[in-house]
Amino acid sequence: MTAQAQKETKVLLKTNYGDITVKLYDDTPMHRDNFIKLVNEGWFTGSPFHRVIKDFMIQGGQNADGRVDPGYTIPAEIKSNHYHFKGALAAARMGDQVNPKKNSSGSQFYIVQGNVFTIQQLERFRDYYGKTFTKAMVDVYTTKGGTPHLDGDYTVFGEVVEGLEVVDKIAAVQTGYMDVPVEPVKVISAEILNK
């Protein structure tokens, strides 16, 4: 394990479907520090996964009391080396028409479940959305999967290091109106593992 991997912050999200451990990237410091701040403040305690779409992503981040966000946004930290593979942790945001700078929500996040794609499908994404994929990205998207059409538009600031099977379980729950789970899926607690 490299020194870099050892010092990256890890966060344990305990959910009513099992535990998910994510690591936060150091080269997206505003998003990393904000996520740590929210964990330390207890923002995510009791927080629901309020938008779940199988084969796409699970989204959480609103406060247990119903507040959608803490009232601020974070400047985009979109990096070409971070992309939407299965297990990527990214910041949700308002659409381009009201948010042309692609600023992230102050608390809303999603974890990618996605799909496995063929090379032909990725070529269509490249042509239709104007995306570029490195060989490494193609290898990941054609084996592990992800949501490549989101690349370059949202800040990816971490990834799941343990608990991908929990992401799959949550993604499979029955949902109703606006992709809200019929039975609540919640973050019971969130804690920093390596302070």
Side-chain angles (χ1 to χ4, degrees), residues 159-192:
E159 66 184 82
V160 173
V161 292
E162 287 180 48
L164 264 180
E165 72 284 354
V166 177
V167 174
D168 287 336
K169 278 199 277 187
I170 293 171
V173 302
Q174 183 183 356
T175 56
Y177 179 68
M178 301 278 293
D179 307 308
V180 176
V182 173
E183 297 292 329
V185 180
K186 293 189 175 191
V187 175
I188 298 164
S189 65
E191 65 179 285
I192 309 298

Side-chain angles (χ1 to χ4, degrees), residues 25 79-85 88 134 136-137 140-141 151 156:
Y25 298 147
K79 310 275 186 184
S80 60
N81 59 317
H82 298 316
Y83 52 99
H84 286 81
F85 57 84
T134 65
M137 292 167 77
V140 169
Y141 283 139
D151 289 345
V156 175

Side-chain angles (χ1 to χ4, degrees), residues 83-95:
Y83 52 99
H84 286 81
F85 57 84
K86 181 175 183 173
L89 171 68
R93 66 177 180 83
M94 299 294 285

Side-chain angles (χ1 to χ4, degrees), residues 5 10 30 43 58 62 86 115 123 138 150 159 161 180:
K10 289 184 180 166
M30 290 181 288
W43 178 274
I58 62 173
Q62 67 185 44
K86 181 175 183 173
N115 273 313
E123 287 170 349
V138 169
L150 299 180
E159 66 184 82
V161 292
V180 176

Side-chain angles (χ1 to χ4, degrees), residues 38-173:
L38 293 173
V39 168
N40 288 334
E41 290 174 356
W43 178 274
F44 298 121
T45 302
S47 174
F49 281 95
H50 60 276
R51 185 170 176 236
V52 171
I53 304 173
K54 187 170 177 5
D55 299 325
F56 182 40
M57 58 89 221
I58 62 173
Q59 182 173 333
Q62 67 185 44
N63 194 270
D65 66 11
R67 282 180 291 158
V68 181
D69 63 54
Y72 58 83
T73 60
I74 304 164
E77 294 180 292
I78 298 168
K79 310 275 186 184
S80 60
N81 59 317
H82 298 316
Y83 52 99
H84 286 81
F85 57 84
K86 181 175 183 173
L89 171 68
R93 66 177 180 83
M94 299 294 285
D96 288 356
Q97 58 281 24
V98 295
N99 181 22
K101 293 183 177 179
K102 304 181 190 306
N103 290 341
S104 300
S105 161
S107 63
Q108 298 274 317
F109 68 89
Y110 59 92
I111 299 173
V112 173
Q113 186 194 35
N115 273 313
V116 173
F117 292 89
T118 66
I119 289 173
Q120 293 75 21
Q121 288 171 315
L122 292 175
E123 287 170 349
R124 284 198 291 277
F125 279 133
R126 179 197 64 207
D127 296 343
Y128 185 79
Y129 293 107
K131 306 291 182 187
T132 41
F133 303 110
T134 65
K135 181 182 182 322
M137 292 167 77
V138 169
D139 290 346
V140 169
Y141 283 139
T142 57
T143 57
K144 187 176 181 181
T147 57
H149 66 283
L150 299 180
D151 289 345
D153 289 320
Y154 296 80
T155 298
V156 175
F157 65 97
E159 66 184 82
V160 173
V161 292
E162 287 180 48
L164 264 180
E165 72 284 354
V166 177
V167 174
D168 287 336
K169 278 199 277 187
I170 293 171
V173 302

